[in-house]
Amino acid sequence: MMPPFSADQPHTILIAASTTYDTGALQRMLARHPLEVRAVQRGDEALAAVRGGRVALALLDVALAGSASMELCPRLQQASQTPLPVFLLSARPSNDERERAHQAGAAAYLPLNFSPEDLAEKILLHLQLIVPAPVLAGMPTMATLEVNYHTMLSGSPDAILLMQRGSWRILDVNLRARQLFGMTETELIQTDLLALCPPVQPDGQPSAQMFAASVEQIMAGDTQMFELDLLHASGRAIACELRMVPLTTAEHRLMHARIVDVTPRKLAAALRDGKNELLEMIASGAPLADTLDKLVRMIEAQLDGGHCTVMLLNPDGVTVHSAAGPSMPPDYLAALNGLPIGPAAGSCGTAMFRKQTVIVSDILNDPLWAPYRNAAAHYGLRACWSMPILLDRDTVLGSFAMYYREVRAPNDDDRRLIQTATHLAGIAIARTRREEELQRHREHLEDLVAARTAELRQAKEDAEHVNEELSTALDNLSMTQEELVRRDKLAALGALVAGVAHELNTPIGNSLTLASSMSERTAALRRDLDNGLRKSALAAYLDEASGADEVLLRNLNRAAALVDSFKRIAVDGGNRQRGRFVLGDVLPELMQAVQGELRQRELALIEDIDHWLEMDSYPGLLIQALRHLIDNSLLHGFGGRGQLKGQGSITLSAHDSGNGEIAIHLSDTGVGIAPEILPKIYDPFFTTRMGAGGSGLGLYITHNIVTGVLGGRIDAASAPGQGASFMLRLPKVAPL
């Protein structure tokens, strides 16, 4: 292999193709050499890149080369400050086009779909970064091998090596082997299998010793398979499973080796075992720093060149600090401490602010990293993917991040891995926080109990000191309160009693007068009986007694009816039966109860009810409240004015208000309510019809039913001469 380019030599491989070309595969094959791949899609862009003086070799699509003479090829060579080899790539190769490419000065003419591995080999050979494999005397070549074997080797999906036994020099490889090791065929057939092994295997055994022992078992027929770590061209270890079969001809002793990369299987097993160990650490209460360090190292072992960090959100909910990052530069982690989260705070700060995963594939060109771009470039960081660690949907604990030193986007495996890491980190952090909280409670429990005991003791002493004063104050307050309540009740009761007395005075007075008269008449009859009773006197007494009985019974019935009317306005406890109902099932009961009295007064009842409105409430109390409102309209709205019959109406409507409530509206066309009276209508015992059938309790009870048991509101509106209206807003589901 030739020495690498110096810093001032061109080191760019320019691809000028009219269609998208897979530059990534070619870049990976050239990664070990000081070459970078750049792609353009227009001829003027290719010329500009060559004039920059950094292009070592150009790959030119024939479709961009110009006319039949392919004039762009010599123009590129003329624009270069140093000799510039140009490979022409053709989508439809032909002998005629090959000849024209040669005349245009092309260094090579290749198919456009030429494999990146073979193309990389031709580039390295042409630039003399590798040298052709020499033909060694006595070594077999493809000419001496069976064609069928080579065909089978080339088409195998596994990596295949053909080696000479003893020297273990590689004689032939297939495409999969080149991909596995990241090397060209020319590089592989100039080495031997032991050169592809690390000096020591993971168990500490020298690779040469382990390989020799395994080959000895194979030659003895004891086994055909063994595991061995090999090396990728980048230096990365590859866990492999080798199946080897000896091939012996008359002239050569060969070994056929099939190599299977078992790294994914081992990584999966390591991840599974690591997760179990982490969960055991969390369950046993291991320190959070040790747990997160173990987690980060476990995830980094799954990555190809990746570095991980765990950041935690500080209790202030704004700034962060570094919790784990064993493979990251300590100065970089220290610089992160105290930085705020926000909408453009790198990957981690933005992920915690948004509570969403943030993928930054190119740190130097992403606006999220604008404040920290120089620091990332200083430490060689080019990509960062971060996922927030959440306790729940709204509570952020921190973030888990993966860093790379090249521009890179995550694949599906990367996303699954970061999700696993974030989930495990969340378990560990949440467990630690709970343990710390419990520990704080345990440490301070005795102090809290002592402090609380002292407070209670002091409170007890203070209470004992003021107990006598407090008792006296309470007694005075109770007496004052009782006196105020008694006065209010007496005032209200006085008005009620005055009305009740006025109503009951006439029938009771008549009854007392009649009873007194009959008492005197009875005494006179007894005297007549002692002196000799005449038949005419007895007949007269019986006639008077019969008339007195009739008058007495009529007055007592009237008094009983008045008492019963006062009893009916009280809230009926039997109506407190809750259930689901529709208004169309319960309101007809109310309509039927008041219809007779409305017809007697020749008043119209207008109904506008959504009968299918459903409620979960107290139907009996609802009916009672509405009945009180209708009775109020009949008594106060239509009871005292000289209105023509047939001109009054009461309207009852019920509709869904759309906010979980039902609006019930009851209005009349009666005399209305005076403005000075309207604020008092819900006061107990307040009435304008005292002595005329009013008790002052109907609207008071209605207000208590609506605002209390039914959980709603009631509003009244009226103007003298324009009737009155009551609006009830009731929840569809009454409070428990």
Side-chain angles (χ1 to χ4, degrees), residues 201-231:
Q201 291 295 306
D203 61 358
Q205 187 176 359
S207 296
Q209 179 180 336
M210 180 177 178
F211 180 76
S214 300
V215 170
E216 183 178 349
Q217 291 180 333
I218 289 173
M219 298 305 296
D222 295 337
T223 183
Q224 289 186 337
M225 184 273 291
F226 62 95
E227 291 187 0
L228 189 71
D229 270 18
L230 301 177
L231 290 177

Side-chain angles (χ1 to χ4, degrees), residues 2-17:
M2 297 292 290
F5 287 149
S6 62
D8 57 347
Q9 285 182 299
H11 61 276
T12 299
I13 304 301
L14 179 66
I15 301 176

Side-chain angles (χ1 to χ4, degrees), residues 29 114-119 121 150 153-154 158-161 172-189 232-233:
M29 293 301 298
F114 203 61
S115 72
E117 293 80 9
D118 293 333
L119 181 58
E121 182 174 282
H150 180 67
L153 181 147
S154 300
D158 297 324
I160 302 295
L161 300 180
D172 196 12
V173 298
N174 66 349
L175 174 61
R176 186 68 186 89
R178 285 179 277 165
Q179 294 172 341
L180 177 65
F181 292 103
M183 301 172 66
T184 65
E185 181 178 356
T186 302
E187 291 174 307
L188 284 171
I189 63 177
H232 188 268

Side-chain angles (χ1 to χ4, degrees), residues 28 35 95 251 367 384 390 444 467 507 589 602 610 732:
R28 287 192 293 271
L35 297 174
N95 291 331
E251 301 178 0
C384 181
L390 302 176
H444 296 291
N467 182 55
E589 176 184 344
E602 298 186 10
D610 292 344
K732 293 182 180 179

Side-chain angles (χ1 to χ4, degrees), residues 649-691:
S649 65
I650 297 176
T651 301
L652 178 63
S653 64
H655 302 283
D656 192 335
S657 63
N659 56 355
E661 293 182 339
I662 291 177
I664 301 178
H665 185 221
L666 189 139
S667 62
D668 62 53
T669 60
V671 297
I673 304 174
E676 65 274 11
I677 294 177
L678 192 60
K680 305 176 183 179
I681 59 175
Y682 300 124
D683 293 347
F685 306 117
F686 177 78
T687 180
T688 61
R689 301 284 292 170
M690 186 61 69

Side-chain angles (χ1 to χ4, degrees), residues 275-520:
K275 288 167 62 177
N276 292 336
E277 293 177 7
L278 272 172
L279 293 175
E280 290 179 2
M281 292 179 67
I282 295 172
S284 62
L288 180 61
D290 295 344
T291 304
L292 295 180
D293 184 81
K294 170 73 174 178
L295 171 63
V296 168
R297 294 181 186 276
M298 179 188 74
I299 299 300
E300 287 180 343
Q302 300 285 318
L303 304 177
D304 182 11
H307 307 275
C308 300
T309 64
V310 177
M311 304 296 296
L312 296 182
L313 188 63
N314 290 326
D316 60 11
V318 177
T319 59
V320 301
H321 71 274
S322 174
S327 67
M328 292 289 286
D331 292 343
Y332 176 78
L333 294 179
L336 298 178
N337 293 331
L339 292 179
I341 65 174
S347 298
C348 295
T350 306
M352 284 186 265
F353 180 81
R354 295 180 180 175
K355 302 175 185 178
Q356 295 176 350
T357 302
V358 173
I359 303 297
V360 175
S361 302
D362 186 355
I363 289 177
L364 300 186
N365 295 300
D366 196 294
L368 296 181
W369 276 81
Y372 318 112
R373 187 174 295 149
N374 293 335
H378 175 74
Y379 293 103
L381 305 175
R382 293 300 305 275
C384 181
W385 321 326
S386 181
M387 177 175 285
I389 303 170
L390 302 176
L391 179 63
D392 51 46
R393 182 176 298 178
D394 299 319
T395 306
V396 178
L397 300 176
S399 67
F400 189 96
M402 292 182 179
Y403 287 86
Y404 285 89
R405 299 187 182 277
E406 69 271 1
V407 174
R408 181 168 176 176
N411 55 31
D412 292 340
D413 290 338
D414 294 328
R415 292 180 183 274
R416 284 192 291 269
L417 197 59
I418 196 171
Q419 288 175 353
T420 298
T422 303
H423 177 65
L424 292 172
I427 295 175
I429 297 170
R431 171 63 183 271
T432 300
R433 288 195 174 184
R434 287 193 293 268
E435 288 294 334
E436 290 175 351
E437 185 176 358
L438 289 174
Q439 183 62 28
R440 286 195 299 269
H441 283 300
R442 284 193 291 267
E443 291 174 354
H444 296 291
L445 181 60
E446 185 174 346
D447 294 338
L448 292 173
V449 171
R452 183 57 178 163
T453 301
E455 291 176 3
L456 292 175
R457 185 180 297 110
Q458 184 63 41
K460 180 175 180 293
E461 293 174 358
D462 294 341
E464 291 175 350
H465 290 321
V466 301
N467 182 55
E468 185 176 352
E469 296 178 4
L470 181 59
S471 297
T472 302
L474 286 175
D475 291 341
N476 293 335
L477 180 61
S478 297
M479 292 173 62
T480 303
Q481 183 178 17
E482 291 174 359
E483 180 64 20
L484 290 175
V485 171
R486 186 180 65 82
R487 289 180 181 179
D488 288 344
K489 286 184 177 180
L490 285 176
L493 186 59
L496 175 63
V497 169
V500 172
H502 180 78
E503 291 292 334
L504 295 179
N505 185 53
T506 299
I508 294 177
N510 291 338
S511 298
L512 287 174
T513 300
L514 190 58
S516 176
S517 176
M518 287 305 299
S519 176
E520 294 175 357

